[in-house]
Amino acid sequence: QVQLVESGGGLAHLGGSLRLSCEASLSEFSLYNMAWYRQGPGKERELVAINVRGGPTDYSESVEGRFTMSRDNTKNTVSLQMNSLKPEDTAVYYCNARSAIIGADYWGQGTQVTVSS
């Protein structure tokens, strides 16, 4: 059974940092595009960062320069280092694994990030 398990959410103050992790029980992990999404209160789910099969990572404009996504294909993990946090970063953050080659799309259960001012 495929599982994406996120960890590391919590409460941070304005300007603080948090690090999210996602461990994926996937075979052929390297074939997946891995991404972080978030959904804030009353908002649509939005893409935060995406790494295409170990290549460069793209970020949304709202987090560019503050968030860094990393990927370890040997451990089937991705992480999201979030610095200079703002209240508008408050959201449930989701890990996503998607592969057009395999025809699969998996989501984690989400982890809450709350940033107070």
Side-chain angles (χ1 to χ4, degrees), residues 11 33 45 56-57 62 77 87 102 110:
L11 177 65
N33 299 338
R45 190 174 295 190
T57 298
S62 61
T77 60
I102 297 174

Side-chain angles (χ1 to χ4, degrees), residues 9-25:
L11 177 65
H13 294 294
L14 174 66
S17 298
L18 285 172
R19 184 178 180 87
L20 306 183
S21 295
C22 173
E23 184 171 356
S25 60

Side-chain angles (χ1 to χ4, degrees), residues 25-83:
S25 60
L26 293 169
S27 59
E28 299 184 285
F29 178 77
S30 63
L31 296 182
Y32 285 80
N33 299 338
M34 297 300 298
W36 288 97
Y37 285 77
R38 68 185 181 186
Q39 187 166 15
K43 297 181 180 179
E44 300 273 327
R45 190 174 295 190
E46 64 174 350
L47 178 66
V48 174
I50 184 166
N51 177 273
V52 178
R53 298 175 59 188
T57 298
D58 290 325
Y59 299 90
S60 70
E61 286 187 12
S62 61
V63 307
E64 180 81 51
R66 300 188 298 121
F67 290 11
T68 302
M69 179 179 179
S70 58
R71 175 178 185 148
D72 187 338
N73 283 351
T74 66
K75 297 180 179 178
N76 284 19
T77 60
V78 293
S79 61
L80 186 68
Q81 178 65 43
M82 305 185 294
N83 298 329

Side-chain angles (χ1 to χ4, degrees), residues 6 35-39 45 92-96 107-111:
E6 300 112 334
W36 288 97
Y37 285 77
R38 68 185 181 186
Q39 187 166 15
R45 190 174 295 190
V92 178
Y93 284 71
Y94 297 91
C95 179
N96 173 255
W107 292 87
Q109 80 285 357
T111 185

